[in-house]
Amino acid sequence: MATFGNLSDRLSETFKNLRKKGSLSASDVDGTVREIRRALLEADVALAVVKDFTGKVRERALSDEVNKALNPAQQVVQIVNEELVAILGGSQRRLEFAKNPPTVIMLAGLQGAGKTTLAGKLAKWLAKDGHTPLLVAADLQRPNAVTQLSVVAEQAGVAVYAPEPGNGVGDPVRVAKDSIAYARTKQYDTVIVDTAGRLGVDAELMKQAANIRNAVDPDEVLFVIDAMIGQDAVATAKAFQDGVDFTGVVLTKLDGDARGGAALSVASVTGRPIIFASTGESLDAFEPFHPDRMASRILDLGDILTLIEQAQEAFDEDEARAMAEKFSTDSFTLDDFLKQMQQLRNMGSIKKMMGMLPGMGQMKQQLDAFDEREIVRTEAIIQSMTLAERTNSKLLNGSRRLRIARGSGSTVTEVNALVNRFEQAAKMMKTVAKGGVPNIPGMGPIPGGGGGGGNSSRKQQPKKKGSKSGNPAKRATENAALASGVKPAATGGTGFGLGENGTGSAAPTEEELASLQKFLGR
């Protein structure tokens, strides 16, 4: 995950050294705080924020709460986490909706920050939540801004209000004001006003934004800011706060920001919460901002809650239950496998999801090397199969596999590898569904797991009957006796394989002689 990449790496390396210490001295704390300060400054966090942050961390790290802790190093990591949450806003702030619809949301910011695309993302997100949003094209200055908003609205599946052609024609204040009456008439419960931006903060921009705000009296004014501009974000945010004021911040282009200084600076300097974050180009790459979860991502502690929420949105509960039944009854097919992969892709980037797992920062190279196009290739192979072949993989003989390879633009080796992986995975899932421990290829059953077949224990194999003597002659004699139904003597014997007769002499018994003659064929 690119978001806060460098900052996360630096902090993880700092805490790696810290965790090796059983107790912390003042010099240890000072060294850690020094590294944190460098990491934050390299991430383009505002100097005032860095000083305040490191000061609080040092004060708390040298206090009794750490000295009395069982593990001081872990306690310092916890302090840094809590202070990160604080400068990111403390707690999540949700949108405030009007008691009497429509709720008016005004977007403001510089040109190039991504306001128009964000308007479509926000509208689609609201539509998923049961709202009926209306996009308003009040950016009449930028070339083709009205056309772009119309295209974005179509992609998001929402309505757009664009009475003016734009490109310098029309009054944006009148358009914004008329959109409220239009929304009430058409019964839209949310109005999102896309306003004009400039390449830099100027008086004309501020005046127009202030006039639109006075005309529509918005319930929320969201300041859209590019997370990649670093410390300039603070100056821009302060200028907009003084000229127009805003109720919340939306960070865009977080996916391309390896520093993240804007996110760590804006909320702390302006006192306004970050409400949303945009993490990609697609309209679905949009999520509410959780300060605690973002702090966990920065410290490589993972973000399991967001991962679970995305999974719940992408996977149907009834279908998941039906799929679990298929696992246990050995009826899981390649067609089911295809549906599972498609649902997984609906969750978004696989790399991004894996980046939400704790400790994945240590596997950065493996994540970077992961090619998400492999999933597309796998889908192509399965889609090149007939329905019968997907249902029963045993039908896939050599000629069928050659046809599938040609149809999917792959090789027969790749088709064979996919089928083999699927069959192994199906067996493992069946074992797990029945409460057993899977027999992992190349590893065997997990110790203490009771084997790989789902059985708690294997049946005891009957012991092989026969002589265990190391003397060939004696072993032959005893085996011959067993074969004839005669139990050989349980005692020891001589070096010639003849047993003792119980009297201490080495003379063989009549039964032994008869068995030996029978074995020799006499």
Side-chain angles (χ1 to χ4, degrees):
M1 184 177 178
T3 311
F4 304 109
N6 292 343
L7 176 60
S8 181
D9 291 343
R10 287 293 303 272
L11 291 178
S12 297
E13 189 64 29
T14 300
F15 294 137
K16 185 188 297 182
N17 299 327
L18 191 65
R19 290 188 180 100
K20 297 177 182 177
K21 299 180 181 294
S23 60
L24 298 180
S25 63
S27 61
D28 292 330
V29 173
D30 288 338
T32 301
V33 171
R34 191 182 308 114
E35 289 299 320
I36 293 174
R37 183 185 299 111
R38 289 175 181 172
L40 293 174
L41 289 174
E42 287 180 5
D44 256 351
V45 181
L47 181 60
V49 177
V50 174
K51 286 183 176 180
D52 183 60
F53 178 82
T54 53
K56 290 180 179 178
V57 170
R58 186 180 187 281
E59 181 182 354
R60 292 184 59 185
L62 292 174
S63 66
D64 290 339
E65 66 176 304
V66 173
N67 294 334
K68 295 179 181 179
L70 294 177
N71 192 322
Q74 291 181 354
Q75 193 70 17
V76 172
V77 175
Q78 180 63 26
I79 290 172
V80 174
N81 182 60
E82 291 174 359
E83 292 300 328
L84 273 177
V85 173
I87 67 173
L88 286 170
S91 59
Q92 184 198 14
R93 201 318 226 130
R94 298 176 180 270
L95 280 178
E96 293 184 359
F97 294 93
K99 294 181 179 179
N100 298 317
T103 299
V104 181
I105 302 173
M106 174 181 167
L107 304 181
L110 295 179
Q111 184 174 318
K115 291 191 304 301
T116 303
T117 304
L118 182 91
K121 292 182 177 183
L122 178 58
K124 187 174 183 179
W125 183 81
L126 288 169
K128 283 183 180 178
D129 205 28
H131 294 279
T132 53
L134 173 69
L135 293 181
V136 178
D139 182 359
L140 306 179
Q141 205 125 2
R142 182 168 60 89
N144 296 320
V146 175
T147 304
Q148 182 188 357
L149 187 66
S150 301
V151 172
V152 169
E154 184 179 357
Q155 292 174 344
V158 299
V160 62
Y161 179 73
E164 298 289 350
N167 297 325
V169 178
D171 182 1
V173 179
R174 178 181 293 276
V175 169
K177 187 174 183 179
D178 292 346
S179 67
I180 309 301
Y182 179 83
R184 288 196 180 99
T185 303
K186 300 295 182 179
Q187 296 185 339
Y188 293 106
D189 68 352
T190 311
V191 176
I192 302 173
V193 183
D194 179 28
T195 63
R198 298 290 188 282
L199 295 176
V201 177
D202 56 31
E204 184 182 353
L205 167 63
M206 290 302 179
K207 182 179 179 181
Q208 185 184 107
N211 290 339
I212 292 176
R213 175 167 187 162
N214 294 333
V216 300
D217 189 21
D219 300 281
E220 294 276 13
V221 179
L222 300 182
F223 174 56
V224 183
I225 190 166
D226 184 347
M228 297 181 69
I229 65 176
Q231 292 196 30
D232 287 342
V234 178
T236 306
K238 287 295 291 181
F240 268 89
Q241 188 176 24
D242 296 338
V244 183
D245 201 8
F246 48 86
T247 59
V249 178
V250 180
L251 288 172
T252 62
K253 306 178 186 178
L254 266 181
D255 56 317
D257 180 25
R259 295 176 299 180
L264 296 176
S265 304
V266 171
S268 180
V269 171
T270 64
R272 298 291 186 267
I274 303 172
I275 302 180
F276 294 106
S278 175
T279 56
E281 292 293 331
S282 69
L283 294 182
D284 292 316
F286 178 79
E287 59 187 41
F289 188 86
H290 298 266
D292 54 340
R293 300 183 190 181
M294 189 59 70
S296 295
R297 292 190 202 182
I298 294 173
L299 297 178
D300 196 23
L301 301 177
D303 187 1
I304 300 299
L305 289 177
T306 300
L307 191 59
I308 292 173
E309 290 174 359
Q310 291 181 357
Q312 288 175 338
E313 290 180 5
F315 287 85
D316 182 75
E317 187 175 348
D318 295 334
E319 189 172 345
R321 191 178 296 110
M323 204 64 66
E325 293 178 2
K326 288 189 175 186
F327 291 155
S328 60
T329 57
D330 203 15
S331 59
F332 185 69
T333 66
L334 279 164
D335 200 44
D336 298 322
F337 183 52
L338 177 64
K339 292 177 182 177
Q340 290 287 296
M341 281 197 303
Q342 290 171 340
Q343 286 188 329
L344 186 65
R345 288 185 63 196
N346 289 337
M347 290 179 62
S349 170
I350 305 295
K351 286 185 181 180
K352 180 182 173 184
M353 288 187 291
M354 293 176 69
M356 293 180 186
L357 297 175
M360 290 305 290
Q362 301 173 16
M363 302 180 65
K364 189 175 181 181
Q365 291 183 348
Q366 291 89 329
L367 281 178
D368 292 340
F370 176 73
D371 186 2
E372 298 197 26
R373 291 175 296 179
E374 284 296 329
I375 297 179
V376 179
R377 298 187 189 103
T378 301
E379 288 184 359
I381 293 174
I382 299 177
Q383 288 170 341
S384 297
M385 300 177 185
T386 64
L387 183 59
E389 290 168 343
R390 296 182 202 175
T391 306
N392 184 8
S393 59
K394 294 180 180 179
L395 295 176
L396 296 173
N397 55 24
S399 60
R400 289 174 183 261
R401 297 188 186 209
L402 179 60
R403 189 204 76 240
I404 293 167
R406 289 174 176 173
S408 59
S410 58
T411 64
V412 175
T413 303
E414 291 174 331
V415 176
N416 292 340
L418 169 62
V419 175
N420 291 338
R421 287 197 305 268
F422 165 75
E423 291 176 349
Q424 289 178 357
K427 288 179 182 178
M428 291 176 64
M429 288 186 287
K430 180 183 177 182
T431 301
V432 173
K434 289 186 175 182
V437 180
N439 192 342
I440 302 175
M443 294 179 61
I446 298 175
N455 299 324
S456 59
S457 62
R458 293 185 177 181
K459 292 183 179 180
Q460 293 290 334
Q461 295 291 335
K463 290 185 178 180
K464 203 172 183 181
K465 294 182 179 180
S467 173
K468 297 181 180 180
S469 175
N471 188 305
K474 182 178 179 181
R475 186 166 63 245
T477 303
E478 291 179 352
N479 286 337
L482 288 171
S484 62
V486 179
K487 184 176 181 181
T491 58
T494 66
F496 296 98
L498 301 179
E500 293 181 353
N501 58 11
T503 62
S505 66
T509 64
E510 292 181 0
E511 291 178 351
E512 287 177 338
L513 289 172
S515 297
L516 179 59
Q517 289 176 353
K518 185 177 180 180
F519 175 75
L520 296 174
R522 294 179 181 177

